[in-house]
Amino acid sequence: QVQLVESGGGLVQPGGSLRLSCAASGSISSFYTYAMGWFRQAPGKQRELVARITGDNIIKYGESVKGRFTISRDNAENTVALQMNSLKPEDTAVYYCYAARRGVDYWGQGTQVTVSS
């Protein structure tokens, strides 16, 4: 079993920045073989992809965050991070970390990000 724990959420003003981090533990040998990423879900909306990164550092971003968010991973520390800049009120959501390999997904509990003045 793989456990994912997110941290770094909170309240920030529009235009501000936050950095989310996700730490993986448990039965996660060969962390570099997992695709890692972030989804988010706002109230009343479907969960959507924010960003994902493969073990080969191939990156995909959701259209609404391109140019503002940056995903990175540290395979030695079993962590993945999401740097979020130029935050907008519409970025308000619960952000979930996930890990995927061979058709099996693991999810964190989520961390709330609220962008408001």
Side-chain angles (χ1 to χ4, degrees):
Q1 191 71 8
V2 174
Q3 291 81 45
L4 301 173
V5 178
E6 304 100 334
S7 60
L11 173 65
V12 63
Q13 292 187 341
S17 298
L18 279 176
R19 183 177 179 87
L20 304 183
S21 184
C22 174
S25 62
S27 302
I28 192 161
S29 60
S30 304
F31 176 79
Y32 68 94
T33 65
Y34 284 79
M36 302 295 298
W38 296 88
F39 276 72
R40 68 186 181 186
Q41 188 165 20
K45 295 188 176 181
Q46 289 188 331
R47 191 171 292 192
E48 65 172 353
L49 172 71
V50 177
R52 69 187 297 268
I53 181 169
T54 68
D56 297 331
N57 287 325
I58 297 172
I59 293 172
K60 179 179 180 179
Y61 292 103
E63 286 298 320
S64 61
V65 307
K66 283 183 178 178
R68 299 188 297 123
F69 291 11
T70 302
I71 190 171
S72 60
R73 65 188 294 160
D74 184 336
N75 291 332
E77 297 292 330
N78 291 359
T79 59
V80 61
L82 184 70
Q83 178 65 41
M84 306 186 293
N85 298 329
S86 303
L87 283 161
K88 305 175 181 179
E90 51 263 45
D91 294 317
T92 296
V94 177
Y95 285 68
Y96 297 92
C97 175
Y98 83 94
R101 188 179 74 171
R102 298 174 184 169
V104 179
D105 295 344
Y106 302 94
W107 293 87
Q109 291 297 308
T111 185
Q112 177 70 44
V113 172
T114 302
V115 185
S116 174
S117 55

